[in-house]
């Protein structure tokens, strides 16, 4: 791997061919039976606006960002493009206002306080803010996300707000080296999602799977996969 401190920006042909490759893997990972294709969310954290623009030129419309401030700067530069923005990183309550104003989806809602802050700040002129509840499926102390037992209460809180639209669940399962363990986590999430959808008919989204495991996630029911590295290449020399 080339460890030059500043790797040259990928040419857009490379981006487009990686984009096509990911889309075809998504299609091939679909279990038989005619569900609609899972959505590809391009995770663009640490990528500058010009690379997002280049990927958008390949036909990619949905982008995921982890940090509110970083995302706002890019959104300003890319305001001429009709992109859909998802916040996938942990959200502090004091950033709820810009998040509610500037994103289309918040995938990292894991507590009541955040629900009410987002509802209060979603501008009236915009459609309701799409919300995913982030679940901590491995029960690790260090990670964000609510416990599975807290989903029902949070869902009711979200559904009670007109400015919010509950769409489903998001999770970042531990990248367990044994694919059977990963599959177990994905299956647990699929069941939680089914329970939630039974009580909230608008629920249609299960966000799980990243560059290393999005095909497995799709085989186990993911409707949205969050892919960074497989599209943009490694994020930083240290990760190469
Ligand atoms: C960075 C990130 C991703 C993408 O990870 P890759 O392995 O680069 O595909 C997906 N989801 C979340 C929440 C992330 O923070």
């Amino acid at each position: 791997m080339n460890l030059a401190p500043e790797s040259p920006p990928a040419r857009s042909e490379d981006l487009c061919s990686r984009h096509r490759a990911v889309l075809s893997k998504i299609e091939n990972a679909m279990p038989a039976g005619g569900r609609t294709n899972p959505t590809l969310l391009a995770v663009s954290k640490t990528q500058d606006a010009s690379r997002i623009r280049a990927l958008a030129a390949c036909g990619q419309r949905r982008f995921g960002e982890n940090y509110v401030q970083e995302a706002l700067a890019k959104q300003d530069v890319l305001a001429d493009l009709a992109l859909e923005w998802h916040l996938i990183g942990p959200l502090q309550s004091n950033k709820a206002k810009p998040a509610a104003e500037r994103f289309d989806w918040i995938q990292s809602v894991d507590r009541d306080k955040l629900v009410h802050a987002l509802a209060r700040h979603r501008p009236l002129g915009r459609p309701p803010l799409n919300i995913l509840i982030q679940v901590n499926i491995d029960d690790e102390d260090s990670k964000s996300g609510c416990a599975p037992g807290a989903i029902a209460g949070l869902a009711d809180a979200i559904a009670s707000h007109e400015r919010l639209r509950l769409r489903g669940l998001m999770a970042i399962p531990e990248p367990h080296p044994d694919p059977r363990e990963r599959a177990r986590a994905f299956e647990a999430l699929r069941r939680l999602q089914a329970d939630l959808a039974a009580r909230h008919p608008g629920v249609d989204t299960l966000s799980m799977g990243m560059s290393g495991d999005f095909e497995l996630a799709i085989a186990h029911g993911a409707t949205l996969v969050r892919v960074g590295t497989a599209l943009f290449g490694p994020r930083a020399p240290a990760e190469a």
Side-chain angles (χ1 to χ4, degrees):
M1 215 53 229
N2 176 13
L3 295 181
E6 284 187 35
S7 50
R11 290 168 308 139
S12 47
E13 311 89 89
D14 296 340
L15 272 179
C16 288
S17 68
R18 281 201 291 254
H19 185 240
R20 275 195 305 275
V22 169
L23 285 175
S24 89
K25 283 183 181 172
I26 287 174
E27 198 162 328
N28 293 332
M30 282 273 294
R35 282 184 308 145
T36 50
N37 256 352
T39 299
L40 172 59
L41 183 72
V43 174
S44 48
K45 64 182 172 213
T46 77
Q47 307 295 339
D48 62 29
S50 67
R51 304 202 74 210
I52 297 176
R53 185 178 293 281
L55 190 57
C58 309
Q60 179 62 30
R61 206 172 75 77
R62 298 178 174 90
F63 290 87
E65 289 280 342
N66 288 60
Y67 307 100
V68 174
Q69 289 312 123
E70 179 187 336
L72 296 187
K74 298 179 201 177
Q75 289 172 354
D76 286 342
V77 176
L78 299 166
D80 58 308
L81 300 177
L83 302 179
E84 184 179 282
W85 293 97
H86 293 230
L87 183 68
I88 61 172
L91 177 59
Q92 305 298 320
S93 300
N94 64 1
K95 298 266 170 56
K97 184 171 191 288
E101 288 172 347
R102 301 289 298 277
F103 283 85
D104 302 289
W105 291 64
I106 309 289
Q107 297 204 5
S108 48
V109 171
D110 60 1
R111 57 199 189 278
D112 269 317
K113 189 180 175 195
L114 211 42
V115 172
H116 302 302
L118 289 168
R120 188 163 64 249
H121 292 298
R122 181 62 169 177
L124 283 172
R126 300 208 58 193
L129 182 60
N130 296 293
I131 302 288
L132 298 183
I133 296 172
Q134 184 177 349
V135 190
N136 185 345
I137 197 66
D138 300 307
D139 202 17
E140 290 173 67
D141 300 338
S142 59
K143 273 206 277 186
S144 41
C146 73
I151 295 172
L154 262 178
D156 289 343
I158 294 161
S160 74
H161 285 288
E162 259 178 38
R163 303 308 298 142
L164 305 179
R165 185 170 166 209
L166 176 64
R167 298 298 293 270
L169 301 179
M170 182 273 244
I172 314 170
E174 192 188 342
H176 203 284
D178 181 351
R180 285 169 306 183
E181 287 297 318
R182 295 196 194 199
R184 241 164 40 89
F186 290 145
E187 276 303 319
L189 285 158
R190 191 218 287 264
R191 283 193 297 275
L192 292 170
Q193 167 81 351
D195 291 348
L196 183 64
R199 292 184 309 109
H200 294 273
V203 162
D204 59 2
T205 304
L206 179 54
S207 169
M208 59 185 193
M210 321 202 315
S211 290
D213 56 13
F214 67 88
E215 292 159 286
L216 186 66
I218 289 168
H220 292 280
T223 70
L224 184 152
V225 292
R226 309 178 308 266
V227 178
T229 311
L231 289 168
F232 289 108
R235 274 183 287 278
E239 294 181 37

